[in-house]
Amino acid sequence: MAAPCPLGVRVTSTPAASPQRPPRSARVRTFEALANPIFRRVWTLGIFYYTYRATELAVLSWFVLTLTGSDLAVALVGVSRVAPMFLFGLVAGNLADRFARRRLMVGAQTVNLSASLVMVVLLSTGHQVAWMAYLMIFITGTTWAVDYAARRALLGDIFTGRVLTNATFLDAGLVTGSNMVGPLVGTTLIRYTGFTGAYVGIALLMLMGLALVLSIRVNSDQTRTVSRGPVGQQLRAATSIMRTNRTVLGAVLLTAAFNFFGFPFVQLVSVVARDVMGLQEVAFGLLVSALGFGALMGSAIIASRDTVHKGNYYSLGAALLMVMAVLFAWAPWYPLALAAMVVAGLGLAAFAGMQPVIPLEAVTPQERGRAMGAIALGIGAQAPGTFLMGLLAELAGPREAITIVTLAGLMSVVVLRRIFPALADAADKATARRSG
């Protein structure tokens, strides 16, 4: 039996009659979760939030590349952005279970807006040094760790069953689909208004995000599930979820593998675009936008399905992105590179959409925030992975670095699918054979 919803609004669903072919009445409408008024506000907030995050990453990557011309320096932008996930992921998950999730989201947006206004002042007064980019993106990366745990746990409060999957894919579609709009917006602003104008645009998006999160109203106070004990004790409680729940552990390890070996290739797209393909800002923006376009298509397709093979979507989506990363790196023609990025986006959609669903369905309502904190810890593996990718790019070249790291990632996916049956839906198959 599902626990009562602390928000007073919960969407449930009946299980499909057959995992192979659910009846028509059980099939998910693409935007079914948007019938919930709280989720509509959260989803609209995501349009602005995820877009300015993607815009910020593209702007700061090009900013550092222009100042330094160093592959490693550009990679360090990505490291600075995701390092807070590793450093503060478990803490953020604990906060999401201890404090009101909406308040955490408001605080995150307030800090982001304040930091962006400082960045605008620095740029407009002629201060252009690389440390500004690293500090700025570290701040927004820290607030992202808090928002990630709070937002995903909030979805678990609102939804259950197949509609939870639908909601997470709609939300993930914004995360990944923002890569279609953000880089193009950012690079276009750089081209015509310079870095100062680009950051004014980012600040305006942040202002809209803050206004929207302030408009979110929940029906009742969230039930507190974490005591105000010592921090060390609370963090041990968070890590115990990974020790005692193999599904959560498998999801965290696959998340870590994807973020260490797979996703860091995105940070070298600007280097490949400029130094290998000889492209300008907007052409680079289109490459990253192609990744977002594929992710948006994939999220829309999967959100409209009553998915039963969640582990395969999760793990094979990660593998597909890694294969396409190698194809992108060695593509002899720009159109082929664009196509590889689109297909990589499909894999990213499958992976990112299932990433919160699998652990949320494997824990109790009292553990949702901490489970998302554990996933955030896995996302933090992107920091050392991006540093490794940048270092190899300096030593051997960007294409070679992408190939070496992502092929190692493919091997890790194969191994994890064998160790953790939930990642390959093997547990479901075994249960079906026994029941048959």
Side-chain angles (χ1 to χ4, degrees), residues 66-124:
T66 301
L67 290 177
T68 67
S70 167
D71 298 357
L72 181 58
V74 173
L76 287 176
V77 175
V79 172
S80 299
R81 182 188 209 185
V82 79
M85 280 289 203
F86 181 78
L87 296 173
F88 310 125
L90 290 179
V91 176
N94 183 74
L95 292 174
D97 280 337
R98 182 173 176 177
F99 299 104
R101 287 157 187 162
R102 174 188 172 275
R103 290 184 180 178
L104 292 175
M105 293 166 64
V106 170
Q109 298 300 325
T110 302
V111 171
N112 287 348
L113 178 60
S114 301
S116 70
L117 293 176
V118 172
M119 190 71 170
V120 169
V121 172
L122 289 173
L123 289 171
S124 63

Side-chain angles (χ1 to χ4, degrees), residues 171-209:
D171 190 64
L174 293 180
V175 179
T176 53
S178 65
N179 290 322
M180 178 176 65
V181 178
L184 194 57
V185 170
T187 52
T188 301
L189 286 173
I190 292 171
R191 185 68 177 269
Y192 295 106
T193 67
F195 290 111
T196 302
Y199 241 92
V200 169
I202 292 171
L204 290 174
L205 289 171
M206 289 180 173
L207 179 61
M208 291 299 299

Side-chain angles (χ1 to χ4, degrees), residues 395-408:
L395 298 174
R399 294 186 299 182
E400 292 79 5
I402 291 172
T403 303
I404 293 169
V405 175
T406 52
L407 288 180

